[in-house]
Amino acid sequence: MEFTREWAEKRDAEDQLSGFREEFALPAGVIQLNGNSLGPLPRAVPGALDQVVRREWGEHLIRGWFEDGWWDAPERVGDRVGRLVGAAPGQTVVGESTSVQLFNALTAAARLRPERTVLVSDAGNFPTDRYLAVSVARMLGLRLVQTPVAALPKVLERHRGEVGAVLAGAVDFRTGELWDVAALTARVRDAGAVTVWDLSHAAGAVPLHLDEAGVDLAVGCGYKYLCGGPGAPAFLYAAARHHEALDLPVTGWHGHARPFEMADTFVPAPGIARARTGTPHLLSLLALEAALTPLEAAGVAAVREKSLRLGDYLMSLVDGAGTTTRTRERTGAWPEVVTPRAPARRGNQVTLRHPRAPRLSAELMARGVVTDARPPDLIRLCLNGLYVSYTDVFDAVTHLREVTR
Protein backbone atom coordinates (compact mmCIF):
# COMPACT_ATOMS: atom_id res chain seq x y z
CA MET A 1 0.00 0.00 0.00
CA GLU A 2 1.33 3.45 -0.91
CA PHE A 3 2.01 6.08 1.72
CA THR A 4 1.52 9.23 -0.40
CA ARG A 5 -1.13 11.90 0.00
CA GLU A 6 -1.79 11.68 -3.73
CA TRP A 7 -2.82 8.03 -3.29
CA ALA A 8 -5.19 9.06 -0.51
CA GLU A 9 -6.73 11.81 -2.64
CA LYS A 10 -7.28 9.37 -5.48
CA ARG A 11 -9.03 6.91 -3.19
CA ASP A 12 -11.26 9.70 -1.86
CA ALA A 13 -12.23 10.64 -5.41
CA GLU A 14 -13.25 7.03 -6.09
CA ASP A 15 -15.01 6.51 -2.75
CA GLN A 16 -18.74 5.81 -3.18
CA LEU A 17 -19.42 6.96 0.40
CA SER A 18 -17.62 10.28 0.06
CA GLY A 19 -20.88 12.17 -0.45
CA PHE A 20 -22.09 11.25 3.03
CA ARG A 21 -19.41 13.48 4.51
CA GLU A 22 -21.58 16.43 3.50
CA GLU A 23 -24.35 15.11 5.73
CA PHE A 24 -22.31 16.17 8.77
CA ALA A 25 -21.48 19.66 10.03
CA LEU A 26 -17.75 19.06 10.35
CA PRO A 27 -15.78 22.18 11.36
CA ALA A 28 -13.37 23.44 8.71
CA GLY A 29 -9.83 22.29 9.27
CA VAL A 30 -10.81 19.60 11.78
CA ILE A 31 -10.10 15.89 11.35
CA GLN A 32 -12.74 14.06 13.43
CA LEU A 33 -11.26 10.78 14.66
CA ASN A 34 -13.22 10.70 17.90
CA GLY A 35 -16.58 9.33 16.74
CA ASN A 36 -16.19 6.32 19.04
CA SER A 37 -16.69 8.80 21.90
CA LEU A 38 -18.97 11.42 20.33
CA GLY A 39 -20.16 11.40 16.75
CA PRO A 40 -20.27 14.67 14.79
CA LEU A 41 -23.43 16.69 14.27
CA PRO A 42 -25.60 15.44 11.38
CA ARG A 43 -26.89 18.39 9.38
CA ALA A 44 -30.48 17.14 9.67
CA VAL A 45 -30.56 17.45 13.45
CA PRO A 46 -30.81 21.26 13.93
CA GLY A 47 -33.75 21.51 11.54
CA ALA A 48 -35.51 18.56 13.15
CA LEU A 49 -35.10 20.04 16.63
CA ASP A 50 -36.24 23.44 15.42
CA GLN A 51 -39.42 21.79 14.12
CA VAL A 52 -39.97 19.99 17.42
CA VAL A 53 -39.30 23.03 19.59
CA ARG A 54 -40.96 25.82 17.61
CA ARG A 55 -43.91 24.06 16.01
CA GLU A 56 -44.64 20.84 17.87
CA TRP A 57 -43.88 22.02 21.41
CA GLY A 58 -44.37 25.74 20.76
CA GLU A 59 -47.70 25.52 18.95
CA HIS A 60 -49.16 22.10 19.72
CA LEU A 61 -48.13 21.99 23.37
CA ILE A 62 -49.32 18.77 25.01
CA ARG A 63 -51.10 17.73 21.82
CA GLY A 64 -47.66 16.90 20.43
CA TRP A 65 -47.70 13.58 22.29
CA PHE A 66 -50.21 12.21 19.82
CA GLU A 67 -50.47 14.71 16.95
CA ASP A 68 -46.71 14.67 16.38
CA GLY A 69 -45.94 11.09 17.36
CA TRP A 70 -44.08 11.78 20.59
CA TRP A 71 -45.76 8.93 22.44
CA ASP A 72 -44.72 6.33 19.87
CA ALA A 73 -41.16 7.64 19.50
CA PRO A 74 -39.36 5.20 21.89
CA GLU A 75 -40.59 2.18 19.96
CA ARG A 76 -40.54 3.86 16.53
CA VAL A 77 -36.91 4.93 16.92
CA GLY A 78 -36.22 1.59 18.59
CA ASP A 79 -37.31 -0.27 15.48
CA ARG A 80 -35.02 1.90 13.34
CA VAL A 81 -32.07 1.16 15.60
CA GLY A 82 -33.16 -2.48 15.65
CA ARG A 83 -32.82 -2.73 11.88
CA LEU A 84 -29.24 -1.47 12.20
CA VAL A 85 -28.34 -4.23 14.68
CA GLY A 86 -30.21 -7.10 13.07
CA ALA A 87 -33.36 -7.11 15.16
CA ALA A 88 -36.90 -7.64 13.90
CA PRO A 89 -39.48 -4.97 14.85
CA GLY A 90 -40.93 -4.90 18.33
CA GLN A 91 -37.78 -5.88 20.23
CA THR A 92 -35.91 -2.58 20.69
CA VAL A 93 -36.85 0.51 22.64
CA VAL A 94 -35.02 3.84 23.07
CA GLY A 95 -35.38 6.38 25.82
CA GLU A 96 -33.12 6.12 28.88
CA SER A 97 -29.45 6.62 29.66
CA THR A 98 -27.03 3.79 28.98
CA SER A 99 -26.63 3.24 32.72
CA VAL A 100 -30.37 2.80 33.31
CA GLN A 101 -30.73 0.49 30.31
CA LEU A 102 -27.78 -1.61 31.45
CA PHE A 103 -29.11 -1.87 34.99
CA ASN A 104 -32.54 -2.86 33.71
CA ALA A 105 -31.19 -5.41 31.23
CA LEU A 106 -28.68 -7.03 33.58
CA THR A 107 -31.11 -7.32 36.47
CA ALA A 108 -33.82 -8.73 34.19
CA ALA A 109 -31.34 -11.22 32.75
CA ALA A 110 -30.36 -12.50 36.19
CA ARG A 111 -34.04 -12.78 37.14
CA LEU A 112 -34.62 -14.99 34.09
CA ARG A 113 -32.42 -17.57 35.83
CA PRO A 114 -33.46 -17.24 39.50
CA GLU A 115 -31.96 -20.61 40.44
CA ARG A 116 -28.45 -19.56 39.30
CA THR A 117 -26.08 -17.89 41.76
CA VAL A 118 -23.21 -16.53 39.62
CA LEU A 119 -23.12 -13.36 37.56
CA VAL A 120 -20.23 -13.08 35.08
CA SER A 121 -18.90 -9.70 33.99
CA ASP A 122 -16.31 -8.69 31.39
CA ALA A 123 -13.27 -7.58 33.41
CA GLY A 124 -12.16 -5.24 30.62
CA ASN A 125 -15.53 -3.63 30.07
CA PHE A 126 -16.28 0.08 30.37
CA PRO A 127 -16.25 1.19 34.04
CA THR A 128 -20.01 1.85 34.18
CA ASP A 129 -20.70 -1.74 33.12
CA ARG A 130 -18.40 -3.09 35.81
CA TYR A 131 -19.81 -0.81 38.49
CA LEU A 132 -23.34 -1.87 37.63
CA ALA A 133 -22.40 -5.54 37.63
CA VAL A 134 -21.12 -5.12 41.20
CA SER A 135 -24.33 -3.32 42.17
CA VAL A 136 -26.66 -5.91 40.58
CA ALA A 137 -24.76 -8.80 42.15
CA ARG A 138 -24.99 -7.18 45.58
CA MET A 139 -28.68 -6.35 45.17
CA LEU A 140 -29.63 -9.88 44.07
CA GLY A 141 -27.25 -11.72 46.37
CA LEU A 142 -25.20 -13.18 43.50
CA ARG A 143 -21.54 -14.08 43.33
CA LEU A 144 -19.79 -11.85 40.80
CA VAL A 145 -17.06 -13.39 38.66
CA GLN A 146 -15.08 -10.93 36.53
CA THR A 147 -13.14 -12.37 33.61
CA PRO A 148 -11.50 -11.29 30.35
CA VAL A 149 -13.79 -12.10 27.46
CA ALA A 150 -11.18 -14.41 25.97
CA ALA A 151 -11.42 -16.59 29.10
CA LEU A 152 -15.24 -16.67 29.15
CA PRO A 153 -15.58 -20.28 27.84
CA LYS A 154 -13.31 -21.54 30.65
CA VAL A 155 -15.28 -19.59 33.26
CA LEU A 156 -18.56 -21.02 31.98
CA GLU A 157 -17.12 -24.50 32.27
CA ARG A 158 -15.67 -23.87 35.72
CA HIS A 159 -19.03 -22.62 37.00
CA ARG A 160 -21.25 -24.92 34.94
CA GLY A 161 -24.79 -24.94 36.29
CA GLU A 162 -24.18 -21.80 38.37
CA VAL A 163 -23.96 -18.92 35.85
CA GLY A 164 -27.25 -17.13 35.30
CA ALA A 165 -26.23 -14.06 33.27
CA VAL A 166 -23.17 -12.80 31.40
CA LEU A 167 -22.42 -9.13 30.67
CA ALA A 168 -19.78 -8.32 28.05
CA GLY A 169 -18.86 -5.57 25.60
CA ALA A 170 -18.91 -6.46 21.91
CA VAL A 171 -15.90 -4.19 21.28
CA ASP A 172 -13.17 -3.44 23.80
CA PHE A 173 -13.52 0.31 24.36
CA ARG A 174 -9.76 0.73 24.83
CA THR A 175 -8.15 -1.44 22.17
CA GLY A 176 -10.95 -1.75 19.64
CA GLU A 177 -10.83 -5.55 19.75
CA LEU A 178 -14.04 -7.06 18.36
CA TRP A 179 -15.48 -10.21 19.91
CA ASP A 180 -17.47 -12.87 18.11
CA VAL A 181 -20.93 -12.10 19.48
CA ALA A 182 -22.62 -15.08 17.82
CA ALA A 183 -20.04 -17.66 18.92
CA LEU A 184 -19.87 -16.43 22.50
CA THR A 185 -23.65 -16.16 22.74
CA ALA A 186 -23.87 -19.80 21.69
CA ARG A 187 -21.41 -20.78 24.42
CA VAL A 188 -23.41 -18.88 27.03
CA ARG A 189 -26.66 -20.42 25.82
CA ASP A 190 -25.14 -23.92 25.96
CA ALA A 191 -24.24 -23.21 29.59
CA GLY A 192 -27.88 -22.39 30.32
CA ALA A 193 -27.20 -18.70 30.93
CA VAL A 194 -28.48 -15.43 29.48
CA THR A 195 -26.40 -12.90 27.52
CA VAL A 196 -26.37 -9.13 27.93
CA TRP A 197 -24.19 -7.42 25.32
CA ASP A 198 -23.03 -3.82 25.52
CA LEU A 199 -23.06 -2.68 21.89
CA SER A 200 -22.05 0.95 22.49
CA HIS A 201 -18.87 0.61 20.39
CA ALA A 202 -20.44 -1.77 17.88
CA ALA A 203 -23.91 -0.47 16.93
CA GLY A 204 -23.61 1.42 13.66
CA ALA A 205 -19.96 0.43 13.33
CA VAL A 206 -20.03 -3.30 12.60
CA PRO A 207 -22.79 -5.49 11.14
CA LEU A 208 -24.72 -7.15 13.97
CA HIS A 209 -27.32 -9.89 13.69
CA LEU A 210 -28.87 -10.06 17.14
CA ASP A 211 -31.86 -12.21 16.20
CA GLU A 212 -29.82 -14.61 14.12
CA ALA A 213 -27.15 -14.90 16.81
CA GLY A 214 -29.70 -15.73 19.49
CA VAL A 215 -28.75 -12.77 21.69
CA ASP A 216 -30.99 -12.45 24.74
CA LEU A 217 -30.58 -8.79 25.71
CA ALA A 218 -28.39 -5.94 24.51
CA VAL A 219 -27.85 -2.27 25.24
CA GLY A 220 -26.10 0.48 23.33
CA CYS A 221 -25.68 4.24 23.55
CA GLY A 222 -26.93 6.65 20.92
CA TYR A 223 -24.11 9.21 20.76
CA LYS A 224 -21.16 7.33 19.26
CA TYR A 225 -21.61 5.72 15.86
CA LEU A 226 -25.32 6.60 15.81
CA CYS A 227 -24.41 10.32 16.12
CA GLY A 228 -27.38 11.24 18.32
CA GLY A 229 -25.51 13.97 20.18
CA PRO A 230 -24.19 14.44 23.73
CA GLY A 231 -26.17 12.33 26.17
CA ALA A 232 -28.36 10.82 23.45
CA PRO A 233 -30.64 8.11 24.85
CA ALA A 234 -29.61 4.48 24.79
CA PHE A 235 -31.45 1.52 23.33
CA LEU A 236 -32.44 -1.75 24.94
CA TYR A 237 -32.98 -4.90 22.87
CA ALA A 238 -34.82 -7.86 24.34
CA ALA A 239 -35.52 -10.95 22.26
CA ALA A 240 -39.25 -11.51 21.84
CA ARG A 241 -39.03 -14.94 23.44
CA HIS A 242 -38.25 -13.29 26.78
CA HIS A 243 -40.88 -10.54 26.79
CA GLU A 244 -43.49 -12.24 28.92
CA ALA A 245 -40.98 -13.22 31.60
CA LEU A 246 -39.01 -9.96 31.56
CA ASP A 247 -38.95 -8.61 35.14
CA LEU A 248 -37.42 -5.14 34.90
CA PRO A 249 -36.39 -3.34 38.12
CA VAL A 250 -36.92 0.22 36.84
CA THR A 251 -40.57 0.57 35.92
CA GLY A 252 -42.59 3.64 35.03
CA TRP A 253 -45.99 4.64 33.82
CA HIS A 254 -44.99 4.62 30.14
CA GLY A 255 -44.29 0.90 30.49
CA HIS A 256 -47.70 0.17 32.03
CA ALA A 257 -50.26 -1.88 30.12
CA ARG A 258 -52.83 0.91 30.68
CA PRO A 259 -50.75 4.02 31.33
CA PHE A 260 -53.55 6.56 31.39
CA GLU A 261 -55.53 4.73 34.06
CA MET A 262 -52.93 5.82 36.64
CA ALA A 263 -53.35 2.50 38.44
CA ASP A 264 -51.85 1.85 41.86
CA THR A 265 -50.20 -1.39 40.75
CA PHE A 266 -47.74 -1.77 37.90
CA VAL A 267 -48.93 -4.11 35.17
CA PRO A 268 -46.30 -4.46 32.41
CA ALA A 269 -47.32 -3.62 28.87
CA PRO A 270 -47.15 -6.41 26.31
CA GLY A 271 -44.01 -6.78 24.26
CA ILE A 272 -41.02 -4.46 24.36
CA ALA A 273 -43.20 -1.57 25.56
CA ARG A 274 -42.78 -2.93 29.10
CA ALA A 275 -39.13 -1.78 28.89
CA ARG A 276 -40.27 1.84 28.70
CA THR A 277 -40.00 3.68 31.99
CA GLY A 278 -41.02 7.25 32.72
CA THR A 279 -41.37 10.16 30.32
CA PRO A 280 -38.43 10.00 27.88
CA HIS A 281 -35.95 12.78 27.15
CA LEU A 282 -37.89 13.69 24.07
CA LEU A 283 -35.67 16.34 22.50
CA SER A 284 -32.64 14.04 22.64
CA LEU A 285 -34.73 11.13 21.41
CA LEU A 286 -35.99 13.02 18.37
CA ALA A 287 -32.49 14.35 17.66
CA LEU A 288 -31.31 10.74 17.53
CA GLU A 289 -34.14 9.87 15.17
CA ALA A 290 -33.04 12.56 12.72
CA ALA A 291 -29.39 11.54 13.07
CA LEU A 292 -29.94 7.97 11.90
CA THR A 293 -30.74 8.87 8.28
CA PRO A 294 -27.20 8.94 6.79
CA LEU A 295 -26.25 5.62 8.34
CA GLU A 296 -29.48 4.02 7.18
CA ALA A 297 -28.93 5.32 3.65
CA ALA A 298 -25.33 4.16 3.44
CA GLY A 299 -25.87 0.85 5.21
CA VAL A 300 -23.79 -0.51 8.06
CA ALA A 301 -22.09 -3.08 5.81
CA ALA A 302 -20.76 -0.43 3.42
CA VAL A 303 -19.61 1.80 6.26
CA ARG A 304 -17.86 -1.16 7.86
CA GLU A 305 -16.09 -2.12 4.63
CA LYS A 306 -14.69 1.39 4.18
CA SER A 307 -13.76 1.68 7.85
CA LEU A 308 -11.69 -1.49 7.58
CA ARG A 309 -9.86 -0.12 4.53
CA LEU A 310 -9.19 3.12 6.41
CA GLY A 311 -7.84 1.09 9.29
CA ASP A 312 -5.54 -0.89 7.00
CA TYR A 313 -4.26 2.38 5.55
CA LEU A 314 -3.70 3.94 8.97
CA MET A 315 -1.81 0.91 10.27
CA SER A 316 0.34 0.81 7.14
CA LEU A 317 1.23 4.47 7.60
CA VAL A 318 2.05 3.96 11.27
CA ASP A 319 4.10 0.87 10.51
CA GLY A 320 5.96 2.62 7.72
CA ALA A 321 6.84 5.62 9.84
CA GLY A 322 7.86 3.44 12.77
CA THR A 323 10.22 1.26 10.74
CA THR A 324 11.99 4.08 8.91
CA THR A 325 15.38 4.56 10.53
CA ARG A 326 15.46 8.27 9.81
CA THR A 327 11.98 8.73 11.32
CA ARG A 328 12.82 6.63 14.36
CA GLU A 329 15.98 8.65 15.05
CA ARG A 330 14.06 11.89 14.67
CA THR A 331 11.03 10.97 16.77
CA GLY A 332 12.35 8.65 19.46
CA ALA A 333 9.47 6.53 20.76
CA TRP A 334 6.95 5.83 18.01
CA PRO A 335 3.36 4.63 18.67
CA GLU A 336 2.63 0.94 18.19
CA VAL A 337 -0.68 -0.49 17.02
CA VAL A 338 -2.42 -2.51 19.73
CA THR A 339 -5.70 -3.15 17.89
CA PRO A 340 -5.86 -6.63 16.31
CA ARG A 341 -4.82 -6.58 12.67
CA ALA A 342 -7.31 -9.16 11.41
CA PRO A 343 -10.46 -7.42 10.10
CA ALA A 344 -12.77 -9.85 11.90
CA ARG A 345 -11.06 -9.07 15.19
CA ARG A 346 -11.33 -5.29 15.26
CA GLY A 347 -14.07 -2.68 15.43
CA ASN A 348 -13.93 0.65 13.60
CA GLN A 349 -11.23 2.20 15.75
CA VAL A 350 -7.47 1.78 15.80
CA THR A 351 -5.70 2.20 19.12
CA LEU A 352 -2.05 3.16 19.44
CA ARG A 353 0.20 2.78 22.46
CA HIS A 354 2.70 5.49 23.40
CA PRO A 355 4.17 6.41 26.79
CA ARG A 356 3.09 10.05 26.32
CA ALA A 357 -0.39 9.27 24.95
CA PRO A 358 -2.35 11.98 26.85
CA ARG A 359 0.12 14.68 25.84
CA LEU A 360 0.20 13.55 22.20
CA SER A 361 -3.60 13.50 22.07
CA ALA A 362 -3.73 17.05 23.46
CA GLU A 363 -1.14 18.24 20.94
CA LEU A 364 -3.07 16.61 18.11
CA MET A 365 -6.23 18.34 19.32
CA ALA A 366 -4.43 21.69 19.18
CA ARG A 367 -3.67 20.93 15.53
CA GLY A 368 -7.31 20.10 14.76
CA VAL A 369 -6.93 16.30 14.89
CA VAL A 370 -9.59 15.14 17.35
CA THR A 371 -8.61 11.91 19.11
CA ASP A 372 -8.68 10.88 22.74
CA ALA A 373 -6.48 9.07 25.22
CA ARG A 374 -7.22 6.28 27.68
CA PRO A 375 -4.88 5.72 30.63
CA PRO A 376 -2.18 4.98 30.91
CA ASP A 377 -0.79 4.99 27.37
CA LEU A 378 -3.47 4.56 24.68
CA ILE A 379 -4.59 6.89 21.87
CA ARG A 380 -7.85 6.00 20.13
CA LEU A 381 -8.60 6.91 16.51
CA CYS A 382 -12.10 6.28 15.18
CA LEU A 383 -12.39 5.58 11.46
CA ASN A 384 -16.07 6.02 10.70
CA GLY A 385 -16.51 5.43 6.98
CA LEU A 386 -19.43 7.87 6.79
CA TYR A 387 -17.29 10.97 7.24
CA VAL A 388 -13.59 10.06 7.63
CA SER A 389 -11.54 10.22 4.42
CA TYR A 390 -8.27 8.65 3.33
CA THR A 391 -6.79 12.13 3.23
CA ASP A 392 -7.85 12.62 6.84
CA VAL A 393 -5.91 9.50 7.77
CA PHE A 394 -2.79 10.58 5.89
CA ASP A 395 -2.87 14.07 7.41
CA ALA A 396 -3.51 12.70 10.91
CA VAL A 397 -0.44 10.45 10.74
CA THR A 398 1.59 13.37 9.39
CA HIS A 399 0.59 15.44 12.43
CA LEU A 400 1.31 12.48 14.69
CA ARG A 401 4.81 12.19 13.23
CA GLU A 402 5.42 15.86 13.94
CA VAL A 403 4.14 15.93 17.51
CA THR A 404 6.24 12.89 18.46
CA ARG A 405 9.47 14.65 17.48
Side-chain angles (χ1 to χ4, degrees), residues 91 108 144 167:
Q91 299 179 103
L144 178 65
L167 170 64

Side-chain angles (χ1 to χ4, degrees), residues 7-230:
W7 183 91
E9 292 172 344
K10 183 174 184 296
R11 290 302 301 268
D12 286 335
E14 298 169 347
D15 177 23
Q16 295 183 352
L17 295 185
S18 62
F20 286 98
R21 185 181 176 96
E22 298 303 316
E23 300 294 323
F24 297 88
L26 294 165
V30 171
I31 300 174
Q32 162 64 342
L33 302 181
N34 186 234
N36 57 320
S37 186
L38 177 65
L41 172 67
R43 293 189 184 278
V45 169
L49 284 181
D50 188 72
Q51 165 75 10
V52 172
V53 171
R54 296 182 185 277
R55 179 168 176 78
E56 297 177 10
W57 177 16
E59 298 180 14
H60 298 171
L61 297 171
I62 200 170
R63 302 197 316 273
W65 282 105
F66 295 102
E67 291 185 7
D68 299 306
W70 296 355
W71 183 267
D72 299 326
E75 291 160 84
R76 182 179 70 244
V77 181
D79 281 344
R80 290 180 64 178
V81 173
R83 286 193 290 272
L84 295 172
V85 296
Q91 299 179 103
T92 311
V93 68
V94 179
E96 286 288 355
S97 69
T98 311
S99 299
V100 172
Q101 300 285 39
L102 274 169
F103 178 73
N104 250 2
L106 188 55
T107 304
R111 287 174 172 174
L112 286 171
R113 298 291 184 269
E115 74 286 358
R116 302 291 183 100
T117 59
V118 172
L119 171 63
V120 176
S121 175
D122 172 5
N125 216 339
F126 191 76
T128 294
D129 299 59
R130 292 184 281 115
Y131 303 158
L132 286 169
V134 171
S135 179
V136 170
R138 186 173 67 247
M139 180 183 70
L140 298 180
L142 302 174
R143 177 186 173 193
L144 178 65
V145 175
Q146 300 191 60
T147 178
V149 176
L152 178 57
K154 292 183 179 179
V155 169
L156 292 172
E157 184 60 33
R158 187 180 310 129
H159 298 281
R160 179 163 292 276
E162 298 179 306
V163 179
V166 176
L167 170 64
V171 175
D172 188 304
F173 78 100
R174 298 160 305 174
T175 67
E177 183 169 7
L178 172 65
W179 300 105
D180 190 331
V181 171
L184 288 171
T185 296
R187 296 294 291 266
V188 173
R189 182 173 60 247
D190 290 344
V194 177
T195 53
V196 180
W197 285 100
D198 185 341
L199 306 178
S200 294
H201 288 268
V206 300
L208 295 164
H209 310 282
L210 300 189
D211 287 350
E212 182 181 326
V215 170
D216 298 295
L217 295 106
V219 170
C221 71
Y223 48 82
K224 301 183 190 299
Y225 292 94
L226 301 184
C227 297

Side-chain angles (χ1 to χ4, degrees), residues 255-324:
H256 197 283
R258 299 175 300 280
F260 293 99
E261 289 186 7
M262 304 298 169
D264 294 334
T265 303
F266 180 74
V267 178
I272 195 61
R274 68 182 53 208
R276 296 178 61 163
T277 55
T279 305
H281 304 289
L282 203 62
L283 297 182
S284 294
L285 175 56
L286 297 177
L288 172 61
E289 182 174 33
L292 295 175
T293 303
L295 180 58
E296 291 173 324
V300 175
V303 174
R304 168 66 168 169
E305 182 181 355
K306 179 185 172 184
S307 296
L308 288 174
R309 292 198 302 267
L310 290 170
D312 290 339
Y313 185 47
L314 173 63
M315 290 186 286
S316 295
L317 290 171
V318 171
D319 291 344
T323 56
T324 301

